Amino acid sequence: MSPTTSTTPNLVELIARADERGLAAAALACLDRCLPLLAPEATDQLRPLWLGVARAGDGWPDRLAEARSAVAAVADTAPVDAAPVDTEEAALVRRMLDEAPGTWASGPLREWADTCSLAALELHHRLCAAPSPGLAEVLERCRTGGPEGVGPLADGELRRQVRVLEVLADGAAGGLRRALDLAAEGRRVVQAVRSRRARTA
């Protein structure tokens, strides 16, 4: 009997097929979910970029500069009694924002979506397990096949990444709203894990 072959596209395939709007939203949703690891008090600092996605890249360079400035401001003014930020995790989140392209074009946006996808999966894995030497290979296999080898948080992040690309690929009017909801849902998970980790440190 021949093995069953799934016809459902994996995460890497969905990124390869996505248009500019889907790519930007996918990358931004990853960044949005992970932002508390860089700036715990962040709220709507990424709103300019979400508006840019909604308007198909209109004013994208200016919106990107505004978002970077807003994130930097809140990251530099954390409350004195706030739990310390893990420097390696913060660096990964900062990379996600730093590598956002200044041009609204499929090539640069696809690279950004790929960068954010891997970084977000690594960050979610780090939240429940120590990074291992073979983590990069595990994460890439996760994106092309299944979640074997990663923790439950990374598994949940993988499913959110796939869902964002799916809802934007079908052209539904509420796709971007659903992507925002998935970003908010994942952000709450990260905030809860970070708070619990701070209490037990």
Side-chain angles (χ1 to χ4, degrees), residues 78-97:
V80 175
D81 59 349
V85 171
D86 182 286
T87 55
E88 291 185 5
E89 292 174 356
L92 275 170
V93 181
R94 197 178 299 278
R95 180 188 172 206
M96 295 164 74
L97 182 56

Side-chain angles (χ1 to χ4, degrees), residues 43-68:
T43 52
D44 59 353
Q45 282 72 19
L46 297 178
R47 181 174 173 78
L49 291 181
W50 282 113
L51 287 172
V53 174
R55 296 174 183 176
D58 180 49
W60 182 258
D62 291 338
R63 296 181 193 280
L64 179 56
E66 182 182 350
R68 282 174 170 158

Side-chain angles (χ1 to χ4, degrees), residues 171-183:
L176 190 57
R177 178 69 259 173
R178 181 59 181 143
L180 278 161
D181 290 343
L182 287 163

